[in-house]
Amino acid sequence: HFALQNKGIIKNLVLGDYQMQFGQGLVLGAGFGAGKGAETINTIKRNSTGLKPYSSVLESGYFRGVAATISIKDLDITAFGSRLAQDGNLLNDTTYSDFEEYVNSIQSTGFHRTSNELMSKNAITEVSTGFAIHYSLKHQFNIGATGLYTHYASPLQKKPNNYNQYEFSGDENFVGSVYSNLNWQNLMLFGEMARSQSGGIGAVTGILLSMTPKLDFSWSYRDYSKDFHSFYGNGFGEGSRIINEKGTYWGLAYRPSRKHAFSGYFDKFTFPWLRFRVDAPSNGFEYLGRFTYKPTRSIQMYAQFRQENKELSVDSEDGTLSELTETIRKNYIINLDYAIGRSFSFKSRIQGSSYAQSD
């Protein structure tokens, strides 16, 4: 890539490979987004990092072409165009599709080791164009809008089955969104709402609140329709993609002293439509608790417990029916970090996990 920054009204200009992140990442969320973990407050919010060059070795989640951000006082306007050849399985079996020729999956590994992998190399061309408008007022309030149009040289069509009948099918898609953030004293409100060409809606909103100097609170709600299609979205959620999910998250961080800290979260989620190995709408929850003790600057200890409950389809005893059963996954960690001066540090950890299905 070639990148130019802060040259007159040109805030960013990239020729080559690039990625973008705006709002809460429902449309353009190609940057890093932390999932649920010991950081229980800020993890629910995405930051509008804007346009950046892409230099990773991964062969997915980026654009290839030209993109520019023009800054006029408090207003940033980004426009981009991309043409990218991607690996995919190109098929012409009309048994499962109305298309004469189509791609049933796009591969992101970048491996070309076998004859099948070589045949899928650069099998489909993706052309994308879009925009992002971001207005910021003294870092206290910002509002923006994004839009992304994508066209494939060959249609995408997954092999039909019960759980993926609402997945994207066709050769073009448009998804757009509006978002905003408000930072007032010790309170931050944020949210984004998006709509894809299919009519599916994706929405996320949340609160970050410093209740006292020792106590922080976070809350977030997300709703991703079963037919919401966003190829470059990376919003907060339970699943790896922002589709077919609703959830509410509560996070807490408490620091009664310099030596002691407690953090935890509880996340309740539902899946309105079927999923892989789940033959009915399902739900679940997850929670984490972590206690940290730091008696000196060189010693830090913490104990952490995490549990996730989800539903899974299993066959009945006679094998004629499929029914939902609850799965319970638990994880335990006890960790010690010990530093000797500035040159050496040691870490010891005891970790265990368990998995069970309810009767």
Side-chain angles (χ1 to χ4, degrees):
H1 64 265
F2 167 82
L4 178 68
Q5 295 182 336
N6 300 321
K7 192 70 173 179
I9 64 171
I10 299 177
K11 184 176 181 179
N12 276 304
L13 172 65
V14 180
L15 304 175
D17 296 347
Y18 58 91
Q19 60 181 185
M20 290 169 289
Q21 181 161 303
F22 290 94
Q24 297 307 306
L26 299 191
V27 176
L28 298 172
F32 173 75
K36 291 177 286 186
E39 169 49 60
T40 59
I41 304 300
N42 296 314
T43 187
I44 63 174
K45 183 182 179 298
R46 303 290 189 258
N47 295 317
S48 293
T49 55
L51 168 65
K52 289 187 176 182
Y54 182 79
S55 57
S56 173
V57 297
L58 300 179
E59 298 200 13
S60 64
Y62 68 96
F63 300 97
R64 174 170 290 168
V66 57
T69 299
I70 296 176
S71 182
I72 305 174
K73 293 184 178 181
D74 298 323
L75 180 66
D76 291 347
I77 302 175
T78 301
F80 61 93
S82 168
R83 187 179 187 274
L84 181 63
Q86 299 204 55
D87 297 350
N89 299 318
L90 191 62
L91 305 175
N92 55 15
D93 183 2
T94 58
T95 304
Y96 302 110
S97 175
D98 296 330
F99 304 118
E100 294 182 359
E101 187 177 65
Y102 64 97
V103 173
N104 70 341
S105 65
I106 294 179
Q107 301 174 3
S108 59
T109 62
F111 293 143
H112 307 114
R113 305 159 297 183
T114 65
S115 57
N116 288 336
E117 290 176 349
L118 288 171
M119 289 177 60
S120 67
K121 182 179 180 181
N122 298 334
I124 182 172
T125 300
E126 174 191 291
V127 176
S128 303
T129 184
F131 68 90
I133 301 173
H134 182 88
Y135 175 77
S136 179
L137 180 62
K138 297 180 180 179
H139 303 289
Q140 294 182 340
F141 173 76
N142 63 66
I143 187 171
T146 63
L148 172 62
Y149 171 78
T150 305
H151 180 269
Y152 292 102
S154 298
L156 297 181
Q157 172 69 67
K158 292 189 175 182
K159 183 178 179 180
N161 55 45
N162 290 333
Y163 70 85
N164 71 6
Q165 58 183 283
Y166 289 98
E167 291 284 347
F168 174 79
S169 176
D171 60 2
E172 65 176 9
N173 182 54
F174 178 81
V175 57
S177 76
V178 292
Y179 64 87
S180 65
N181 294 331
L182 173 63
N183 189 1
W184 180 68
Q185 295 184 0
N186 58 343
L187 173 67
M188 176 173 285
L189 305 174
F190 62 89
E192 182 174 13
M193 177 172 287
R195 184 182 188 273
S196 62
Q197 185 170 295
S198 62
I201 299 295
V204 60
T205 186
I207 298 172
L208 302 180
L209 175 63
S210 180
M211 304 178 71
T212 72
K214 297 180 179 180
L215 181 63
D216 295 329
F217 170 78
S218 64
W219 173 88
S220 177
Y221 175 76
R222 59 192 183 273
D223 188 345
Y224 308 133
S225 301
K226 59 187 177 182
D227 58 346
F228 177 62
H229 305 137
S230 181
F231 304 141
Y232 288 88
N234 184 26
F236 179 77
E238 168 66 19
S240 58
R241 299 186 303 144
I242 50 175
I243 185 173
N244 185 35
E245 180 180 331
K246 295 181 180 181
T248 306
Y249 173 99
W250 296 267
L252 196 70
Y254 179 53
R255 299 171 298 276
S257 68
R258 293 182 179 181
K259 295 182 178 181
H260 305 86
F262 171 81
S263 61
Y265 69 77
F266 181 84
D267 187 37
K268 174 69 175 178
F269 46 82
T270 61
F271 305 103
W273 185 243
L274 286 59
R275 300 166 59 237
F276 177 66
R277 298 184 63 193
V278 185
D279 299 329
S282 59
N283 59 70
F285 64 89
E286 180 180 3
Y287 63 89
L288 175 145
R290 178 168 176 167
F291 175 73
T292 303
Y293 177 55
K294 191 174 182 179
T296 67
R297 292 184 178 181
S298 60
I299 299 176
Q300 177 174 291
M301 298 176 286
Y302 70 82
Q304 177 178 298
F305 175 74
R306 183 175 186 172
Q307 178 172 325
E308 181 185 63
N309 290 42
K310 278 186 178 180
E311 291 181 314
L312 181 70
S313 290
V314 297
D315 293 333
S316 59
E317 293 183 0
D318 57 7
T320 59
L321 296 175
S322 177
E323 56 187 10
L324 291 180
T325 186
E326 187 177 54
T327 65
I328 304 172
R329 188 186 306 271
K330 298 180 180 179
N331 182 266
Y332 317 82
I333 298 176
I334 297 176
N335 189 89
L336 170 64
D337 293 336
Y338 179 59
I340 302 178
R342 298 182 178 180
S343 302
F344 295 96
S345 63
F346 299 89
K347 176 179 291 188
S348 297
R349 172 177 291 185
I350 301 173
Q351 184 168 342
S353 62
S354 65
Y355 176 83
Q357 295 183 4
S358 61
D359 297 334

